[in-house]
mmCIF file of all heavy atoms in Angstrom:
data_model
loop_
_atom_site.group_PDB
_atom_site.id
_atom_site.type_symbol
_atom_site.label_atom_id
_atom_site.label_comp_id
_atom_site.label_asym_id
_atom_site.label_seq_id
_atom_site.Cartn_x
_atom_site.Cartn_y
_atom_site.Cartn_z
ATOM 1 N N ASP A 6 -27.945 51.290 -44.397
ATOM 2 C CA ASP A 6 -27.508 50.434 -45.494
ATOM 3 C C ASP A 6 -28.646 49.489 -45.867
ATOM 4 O O ASP A 6 -29.061 48.672 -45.043
ATOM 5 C CB ASP A 6 -26.276 49.637 -45.051
ATOM 6 C CG ASP A 6 -25.665 48.827 -46.193
ATOM 7 O OD1 ASP A 6 -26.382 48.571 -47.183
ATOM 8 O OD2 ASP A 6 -24.496 48.450 -46.078
ATOM 9 N N PRO A 7 -29.180 49.570 -47.099
ATOM 10 C CA PRO A 7 -30.310 48.724 -47.483
ATOM 11 C C PRO A 7 -29.970 47.240 -47.507
ATOM 12 O O PRO A 7 -30.861 46.399 -47.535
ATOM 13 C CB PRO A 7 -30.685 49.230 -48.883
ATOM 14 C CG PRO A 7 -29.436 49.883 -49.397
ATOM 15 C CD PRO A 7 -28.765 50.468 -48.197
ATOM 16 N N ARG A 8 -28.680 46.898 -47.492
ATOM 17 C CA ARG A 8 -28.298 45.491 -47.499
ATOM 18 C C ARG A 8 -28.171 44.927 -46.086
ATOM 19 O O ARG A 8 -27.897 43.746 -45.901
ATOM 20 C CB ARG A 8 -26.963 45.321 -48.234
ATOM 21 C CG ARG A 8 -26.977 45.757 -49.689
ATOM 22 C CD ARG A 8 -25.573 45.936 -50.205
ATOM 23 N NE ARG A 8 -24.855 46.956 -49.417
ATOM 24 C CZ ARG A 8 -23.575 47.268 -49.613
ATOM 25 N NH1 ARG A 8 -22.878 46.645 -50.550
ATOM 26 N NH2 ARG A 8 -22.989 48.192 -48.873
ATOM 27 N N THR A 9 -28.349 45.792 -45.084
ATOM 28 C CA THR A 9 -28.193 45.401 -43.688
ATOM 29 C C THR A 9 -29.510 45.599 -42.959
ATOM 30 O O THR A 9 -30.027 46.720 -42.933
ATOM 31 C CB THR A 9 -27.090 46.241 -43.016
ATOM 32 O OG1 THR A 9 -25.873 46.074 -43.733
ATOM 33 C CG2 THR A 9 -26.894 45.817 -41.569
ATOM 34 N N LEU A 10 -30.050 44.537 -42.402
ATOM 35 C CA LEU A 10 -31.356 44.611 -41.750
ATOM 36 C C LEU A 10 -31.244 44.193 -40.284
ATOM 37 O O LEU A 10 -30.438 43.332 -39.923
ATOM 38 C CB LEU A 10 -32.356 43.713 -42.480
ATOM 39 C CG LEU A 10 -32.605 44.044 -43.956
ATOM 40 C CD1 LEU A 10 -33.613 43.080 -44.557
ATOM 41 C CD2 LEU A 10 -33.092 45.482 -44.123
ATOM 42 N N LEU A 11 -32.047 44.828 -39.471
ATOM 43 C CA LEU A 11 -32.106 44.502 -38.048
ATOM 44 C C LEU A 11 -32.983 43.281 -37.837
ATOM 45 O O LEU A 11 -34.073 43.173 -38.410
ATOM 46 C CB LEU A 11 -32.692 45.687 -37.276
ATOM 47 C CG LEU A 11 -33.036 45.433 -35.802
ATOM 48 C CD1 LEU A 11 -31.769 45.375 -34.968
ATOM 49 C CD2 LEU A 11 -33.964 46.521 -35.273
ATOM 50 N N VAL A 12 -32.531 42.349 -37.010
ATOM 51 C CA VAL A 12 -33.377 41.244 -36.574
ATOM 52 C C VAL A 12 -33.326 41.178 -35.057
ATOM 53 O O VAL A 12 -32.305 41.486 -34.433
ATOM 54 C CB VAL A 12 -32.952 39.893 -37.199
ATOM 55 C CG1 VAL A 12 -33.252 39.871 -38.684
ATOM 56 C CG2 VAL A 12 -31.478 39.583 -36.943
ATOM 57 N N GLY A 13 -34.445 40.807 -34.463
ATOM 58 C CA GLY A 13 -34.521 40.747 -33.015
ATOM 59 C C GLY A 13 -35.349 39.572 -32.552
ATOM 60 O O GLY A 13 -36.177 39.033 -33.291
ATOM 61 N N ASP A 14 -35.102 39.180 -31.323
ATOM 62 C CA ASP A 14 -35.843 38.092 -30.667
ATOM 63 C C ASP A 14 -36.046 38.534 -29.223
ATOM 64 O O ASP A 14 -35.110 38.523 -28.427
ATOM 65 C CB ASP A 14 -35.041 36.788 -30.741
ATOM 66 C CG ASP A 14 -35.675 35.656 -29.940
ATOM 67 O OD1 ASP A 14 -36.891 35.715 -29.677
ATOM 68 O OD2 ASP A 14 -34.941 34.713 -29.569
ATOM 69 N N VAL A 15 -37.260 38.954 -28.913
ATOM 70 C CA VAL A 15 -37.534 39.569 -27.621
ATOM 71 C C VAL A 15 -38.538 38.724 -26.853
ATOM 72 O O VAL A 15 -39.678 38.536 -27.297
ATOM 73 C CB VAL A 15 -38.073 41.003 -27.805
ATOM 74 C CG1 VAL A 15 -38.369 41.633 -26.444
ATOM 75 C CG2 VAL A 15 -37.068 41.853 -28.576
ATOM 76 N N GLY A 16 -38.092 38.182 -25.725
ATOM 77 C CA GLY A 16 -38.963 37.380 -24.876
ATOM 78 C C GLY A 16 -39.321 38.107 -23.604
ATOM 79 O O GLY A 16 -39.045 39.299 -23.431
ATOM 80 N N GLY A 17 -39.911 37.374 -22.665
ATOM 81 C CA GLY A 17 -40.309 37.975 -21.414
ATOM 82 C C GLY A 17 -39.140 38.290 -20.511
ATOM 83 O O GLY A 17 -39.261 39.115 -19.599
ATOM 84 N N THR A 18 -37.980 37.659 -20.750
ATOM 85 C CA THR A 18 -36.821 37.846 -19.882
ATOM 86 C C THR A 18 -35.664 38.526 -20.595
ATOM 87 O O THR A 18 -35.054 39.452 -20.047
ATOM 88 C CB THR A 18 -36.348 36.482 -19.332
ATOM 89 O OG1 THR A 18 -37.443 35.841 -18.669
ATOM 90 C CG2 THR A 18 -35.196 36.659 -18.361
ATOM 91 N N ASN A 19 -35.349 38.085 -21.804
ATOM 92 C CA ASN A 19 -34.168 38.583 -22.513
ATOM 93 C C ASN A 19 -34.523 39.131 -23.893
ATOM 94 O O ASN A 19 -35.528 38.738 -24.492
ATOM 95 C CB ASN A 19 -33.130 37.465 -22.672
ATOM 96 C CG ASN A 19 -32.582 37.004 -21.337
ATOM 97 O OD1 ASN A 19 -32.034 37.797 -20.580
ATOM 98 N ND2 ASN A 19 -32.737 35.722 -21.033
ATOM 99 N N ALA A 20 -33.672 40.023 -24.372
ATOM 100 C CA ALA A 20 -33.793 40.566 -25.726
ATOM 101 C C ALA A 20 -32.496 40.284 -26.474
ATOM 102 O O ALA A 20 -31.406 40.498 -25.934
ATOM 103 C CB ALA A 20 -34.063 42.063 -25.681
ATOM 104 N N ARG A 21 -32.615 39.799 -27.698
ATOM 105 C CA ARG A 21 -31.446 39.519 -28.539
ATOM 106 C C ARG A 21 -31.611 40.270 -29.859
ATOM 107 O O ARG A 21 -32.689 40.250 -30.448
ATOM 108 C CB ARG A 21 -31.313 38.021 -28.812
ATOM 109 C CG ARG A 21 -31.102 37.175 -27.570
ATOM 110 C CD ARG A 21 -31.037 35.694 -27.924
ATOM 111 N NE ARG A 21 -30.829 34.868 -26.748
ATOM 112 C CZ ARG A 21 -31.804 34.410 -25.967
ATOM 113 N NH1 ARG A 21 -33.064 34.683 -26.268
ATOM 114 N NH2 ARG A 21 -31.527 33.676 -24.907
ATOM 115 N N PHE A 22 -30.534 40.891 -30.302
ATOM 116 C CA PHE A 22 -30.563 41.605 -31.573
ATOM 117 C C PHE A 22 -29.314 41.267 -32.377
ATOM 118 O O PHE A 22 -28.278 40.870 -31.831
ATOM 119 C CB PHE A 22 -30.629 43.127 -31.344
ATOM 120 C CG PHE A 22 -31.911 43.594 -30.715
ATOM 121 C CD1 PHE A 22 -31.971 43.893 -29.363
ATOM 122 C CD2 PHE A 22 -33.063 43.725 -31.468
ATOM 123 C CE1 PHE A 22 -33.146 44.318 -28.767
ATOM 124 C CE2 PHE A 22 -34.254 44.148 -30.894
ATOM 125 C CZ PHE A 22 -34.288 44.447 -29.533
ATOM 126 N N ALA A 23 -29.420 41.438 -33.679
ATOM 127 C CA ALA A 23 -28.276 41.279 -34.575
ATOM 128 C C ALA A 23 -28.576 42.056 -35.841
ATOM 129 O O ALA A 23 -29.723 42.441 -36.102
ATOM 130 C CB ALA A 23 -28.026 39.803 -34.901
ATOM 131 N N VAL A 24 -27.527 42.301 -36.623
ATOM 132 C CA VAL A 24 -27.744 42.805 -37.982
ATOM 133 C C VAL A 24 -27.542 41.621 -38.920
ATOM 134 O O VAL A 24 -26.683 40.770 -38.694
ATOM 135 C CB VAL A 24 -26.800 43.973 -38.328
ATOM 136 C CG1 VAL A 24 -27.171 45.208 -37.534
ATOM 137 C CG2 VAL A 24 -25.349 43.613 -38.091
ATOM 138 N N ALA A 25 -28.369 41.550 -39.931
ATOM 139 C CA ALA A 25 -28.367 40.404 -40.839
ATOM 140 C C ALA A 25 -28.046 40.855 -42.254
ATOM 141 O O ALA A 25 -28.427 41.939 -42.688
ATOM 142 C CB ALA A 25 -29.725 39.719 -40.813
ATOM 143 N N ARG A 26 -27.331 39.994 -42.951
ATOM 144 C CA ARG A 26 -27.094 40.189 -44.381
ATOM 145 C C ARG A 26 -27.320 38.847 -45.065
ATOM 146 O O ARG A 26 -27.207 37.799 -44.443
ATOM 147 C CB ARG A 26 -25.685 40.727 -44.655
ATOM 148 C CG ARG A 26 -24.575 39.945 -44.015
ATOM 149 C CD ARG A 26 -23.225 40.645 -44.075
ATOM 150 N NE ARG A 26 -22.232 39.947 -43.282
ATOM 151 C CZ ARG A 26 -21.519 38.906 -43.697
ATOM 152 N NH1 ARG A 26 -21.690 38.440 -44.945
ATOM 153 N NH2 ARG A 26 -20.642 38.316 -42.917
ATOM 154 N N TRP A 27 -27.658 38.898 -46.328
ATOM 155 C CA TRP A 27 -27.997 37.677 -47.057
ATOM 156 C C TRP A 27 -26.843 37.255 -47.940
ATOM 157 O O TRP A 27 -26.217 38.082 -48.610
ATOM 158 C CB TRP A 27 -29.248 37.888 -47.906
ATOM 159 C CG TRP A 27 -29.856 36.583 -48.333
ATOM 160 C CD1 TRP A 27 -29.664 35.940 -49.518
ATOM 161 C CD2 TRP A 27 -30.721 35.760 -47.556
ATOM 162 N NE1 TRP A 27 -30.366 34.753 -49.539
ATOM 163 C CE2 TRP A 27 -31.028 34.615 -48.345
ATOM 164 C CE3 TRP A 27 -31.261 35.857 -46.288
ATOM 165 C CZ2 TRP A 27 -31.862 33.598 -47.895
ATOM 166 C CZ3 TRP A 27 -32.097 34.846 -45.842
ATOM 167 C CH2 TRP A 27 -32.382 33.732 -46.643
ATOM 168 N N THR A 28 -26.560 35.960 -47.942
ATOM 169 C CA THR A 28 -25.529 35.398 -48.817
ATOM 170 C C THR A 28 -26.141 34.232 -49.585
ATOM 171 O O THR A 28 -27.274 33.834 -49.338
ATOM 172 C CB THR A 28 -24.321 34.894 -48.004
ATOM 173 O OG1 THR A 28 -24.716 33.713 -47.277
ATOM 174 C CG2 THR A 28 -23.829 35.958 -47.022
ATOM 175 N N ASP A 29 -25.355 33.666 -50.500
ATOM 176 C CA ASP A 29 -25.843 32.510 -51.250
ATOM 177 C C ASP A 29 -26.161 31.340 -50.325
ATOM 178 O O ASP A 29 -26.983 30.481 -50.640
ATOM 179 C CB ASP A 29 -24.803 32.078 -52.288
ATOM 180 C CG ASP A 29 -24.663 33.081 -53.415
ATOM 181 O OD1 ASP A 29 -25.589 33.901 -53.595
ATOM 182 O OD2 ASP A 29 -23.628 33.063 -54.107
ATOM 183 N N GLY A 30 -25.524 31.303 -49.177
ATOM 184 C CA GLY A 30 -25.762 30.221 -48.219
ATOM 185 C C GLY A 30 -26.864 30.519 -47.235
ATOM 186 O O GLY A 30 -27.112 29.712 -46.328
ATOM 187 N N GLY A 31 -27.520 31.667 -47.394
ATOM 188 C CA GLY A 31 -28.588 32.024 -46.473
ATOM 189 C C GLY A 31 -28.200 33.206 -45.606
ATOM 190 O O GLY A 31 -27.220 33.913 -45.881
ATOM 191 N N PRO A 32 -28.951 33.460 -44.523
ATOM 192 C CA PRO A 32 -28.690 34.632 -43.693
ATOM 193 C C PRO A 32 -27.424 34.490 -42.859
ATOM 194 O O PRO A 32 -27.115 33.411 -42.358
ATOM 195 C CB PRO A 32 -29.927 34.711 -42.794
ATOM 196 C CG PRO A 32 -30.442 33.311 -42.724
ATOM 197 C CD PRO A 32 -30.124 32.695 -44.055
ATOM 198 N N VAL A 33 -26.708 35.585 -42.738
ATOM 199 C CA VAL A 33 -25.539 35.659 -41.864
ATOM 200 C C VAL A 33 -25.817 36.747 -40.833
ATOM 201 O O VAL A 33 -26.266 37.848 -41.173
ATOM 202 C CB VAL A 33 -24.263 35.996 -42.651
ATOM 203 C CG1 VAL A 33 -23.089 36.226 -41.697
ATOM 204 C CG2 VAL A 33 -23.943 34.884 -43.641
ATOM 205 N N LEU A 34 -25.563 36.437 -39.568
ATOM 206 C CA LEU A 34 -25.842 37.362 -38.480
ATOM 207 C C LEU A 34 -24.545 37.956 -37.954
ATOM 208 O O LEU A 34 -23.588 37.240 -37.676
ATOM 209 C CB LEU A 34 -26.568 36.647 -37.342
ATOM 210 C CG LEU A 34 -27.864 35.905 -37.718
ATOM 211 C CD1 LEU A 34 -28.404 35.161 -36.507
ATOM 212 C CD2 LEU A 34 -28.904 36.879 -38.274
ATOM 213 N N ASP A 35 -24.515 39.271 -37.821
ATOM 214 C CA ASP A 35 -23.350 39.969 -37.282
ATOM 215 C C ASP A 35 -23.783 40.830 -36.094
ATOM 216 O O ASP A 35 -24.967 41.120 -35.904
ATOM 217 C CB ASP A 35 -22.728 40.880 -38.347
ATOM 218 C CG ASP A 35 -22.199 40.100 -39.539
ATOM 219 O OD1 ASP A 35 -21.548 39.063 -39.325
ATOM 220 O OD2 ASP A 35 -22.455 40.523 -40.680
#
Side-chain angles (χ1 to χ4, degrees):
D6 186 339
R8 299 163 300 177
T9 302
L10 300 180
L11 170 74
V12 290
D14 173 22
V15 179
T18 304
N19 295 302
R21 298 178 180 87
F22 293 101
V24 290
R26 52 191 172 84
W27 197 264
T28 70
D29 290 341
V33 173
L34 305 176
D35 297 316

